[in-house]
Amino acid sequence: MPRAPVLTTAPTASGAGAEMHGVYEDIREGARNGQLSHKQAKELRREAAEIDLLEQRYAEGGLSDSKVAELRTRIEVLESIINAKRSHLIK
């Protein structure tokens, strides 16, 4: 069963912290359990990697509050998409 996103810390310059680890773990678990197709898992990993790259670019100039908020929102949206796809609510 997909878990709800839990954001307890702000993304950090080291790779968006525990939130992104949870995103990648949810994708792995969904693929392993057959809740996500190989294609879906690949697309979701690509989207997660884009968030990681964006966080790295933002960190070069310092993470402002607005940049942190944007990263948190992107992570929350991606988690919601992962959960919906794992639950077969969207394809």
Side-chain angles (χ1 to χ4, degrees):
M1 175 110 186
R3 61 182 174 78
V6 177
L7 301 176
T8 57
T9 61
T12 64
S14 64
E19 296 85 14
M20 289 306 296
H21 176 76
V23 167
Y24 286 110
E25 182 58 32
D26 284 347
I27 295 168
R28 276 191 296 274
E29 186 178 304
R32 187 173 42 246
N33 293 339
Q35 296 166 324
L36 297 172
S37 69
H38 175 74
K39 181 180 177 183
Q40 287 173 317
K42 185 176 179 177
E43 289 171 358
L44 292 166
R45 280 191 295 271
R46 184 174 26 249
E47 290 179 38
E50 288 178 19
I51 294 171
D52 279 336
L53 288 174
L54 182 62
E55 190 274 335
Q56 289 173 15
R57 283 198 306 267
Y58 282 177
E60 290 173 5
L63 285 173
S64 67
D65 290 345
S66 64
K67 289 177 181 178
V68 170
E70 180 184 347
L71 291 168
R72 290 175 66 94
T73 299
R74 287 176 181 259
I75 293 168
E76 288 174 356
V77 168
L78 183 55
E79 274 285 358
S80 294
I81 292 169
I82 292 166
N83 290 337
K85 287 187 177 192
R86 288 182 67 185
S87 301
H88 303 289
L89 297 174
I90 61 173
K91 293 189 182 227

